[in-house]
Amino acid sequence: MTETTAPSAPIAVALDARDLETAATWASAVAPHVSTVKVGLELYLRYGPDVVSAVRGASRLGVFLDLKLHDIPATVAGAARSVAGLRPSILTVHAGGGADMIRAAVEAAPETRIAAVTVLTSMDEDDLEQVGLLGPARDAVRRLAALAVGAGARALVCSPQEVALLRSEVGPDVTLITPGVRPAGADRGDQSRVATPEEAVAAGADLLVVGRPITRAPDPGAAAASLAAAVRRAGVRV
Ligand SMILES: O=C(O)c1cc(=O)[nH]c(=O)n1[C@@H]1O[C@H](COP(=O)(O)O)[C@@H](O)[C@H]1O
């Protein structure tokens, strides 16, 4: 079986593009190889809900809507309700908004998988200390994960370095999503808590979020194919 005909791998490609045309080109190039495309704040704030149908049309894939909602419960409930009709496969909220806020999102969009972002993968221990969180990142991740699952979240976002720990704590039914994925030797950029795709898979991640290693590659389609093959070789169920 060649890479181009192999089944898609559980990778969400972060379409962090300046314009819709670029995002649609990337979406269509990666579509044969991955399961999901991710729309984040850059595209959504520029184009609004139309961007979701545009990248869905270009890729025919599920759209992960990464808006990282973080506000009082009533406001987050309203925001989740506002985007539920776009039928995203996943919608992110910040776990740090607290249990009532997470529950409000879950209840407002019952058909949407709400993913709670624990501690951003760009943050290291010094960053955490600056915002008043003392100790290793994994302690904060663990605490926020327990809070989010208790509030009804069925998915969590964490770094690959915390996946194994969370899996042992939340069991097999919660979807564990990991950004901070960097193939060996790739530029980390602004990411701190990183691991390779193979390590993320071995740790038990369900969905790997990968942006620049694919989208900034000379050939995003070929980069997605190669990453998908690495993920499959590492043993993920496809
Ligand atoms: O929620 C996310 O997707 C997310 C959470 C997190 O802790 N870290 C993180 O990098 N992300 C997103 O994952 C993507 C990572 O992109 P790259 O660093 O280019 O691979 C970006 O779109 C981020 O917004």
Side-chain angles (χ1 to χ4, degrees), residues 11-16 26 181-182 209-217:
I11 295 171
V13 178
L15 303 175
D16 294 324
W26 289 345
V181 173
R182 288 292 182 267
V209 177
V210 186
R212 290 161 288 186
I214 290 176
T215 58
R216 300 300 190 265

Side-chain angles (χ1 to χ4, degrees), residues 14 16 38 66 68 117 120-121 157 179 182 191 209 211-213:
D16 294 324
K38 184 172 85 75
D66 178 23
K68 292 193 183 68
V117 179
L120 290 170
T121 52
V157 180
R182 288 292 182 267
Q191 298 285 4
V209 177
R212 290 161 288 186

Side-chain angles (χ1 to χ4, degrees), residues 27-55:
S28 119
V30 304
H33 313 293
V34 304
S35 63
T36 308
V37 286
K38 184 172 85 75
V39 167
L41 291 170
E42 185 171 5
L43 277 184
Y44 196 82
L45 292 180
R46 188 176 293 266
Y47 297 102
D50 290 350
V51 70
V52 173
S53 44
V55 300

Side-chain angles (χ1 to χ4, degrees), residues 134-219:
L134 299 181
R138 66 175 177 278
D139 289 355
V141 168
R142 187 183 207 175
R143 201 167 53 241
L144 288 163
L147 174 116
V149 170
R154 290 184 295 143
L156 297 168
V157 180
C158 62
S159 97
Q161 299 179 9
E162 296 105 29
V163 168
L165 171 70
L166 288 196
R167 180 63 74 206
S168 70
E169 302 218 334
V170 301
D173 296 333
V174 175
T175 303
L176 296 182
I177 302 169
T178 61
V181 173
R182 288 292 182 267
D187 184 10
R188 287 161 76 129
D190 52 1
Q191 298 285 4
S192 289
R193 303 192 331 279
V194 299
T196 65
E198 292 85 352
E199 288 165 340
V201 168
D206 294 304
L207 182 66
L208 277 54
V209 177
V210 186
R212 290 161 288 186
I214 290 176
T215 58
R216 300 300 190 265
D219 180 344

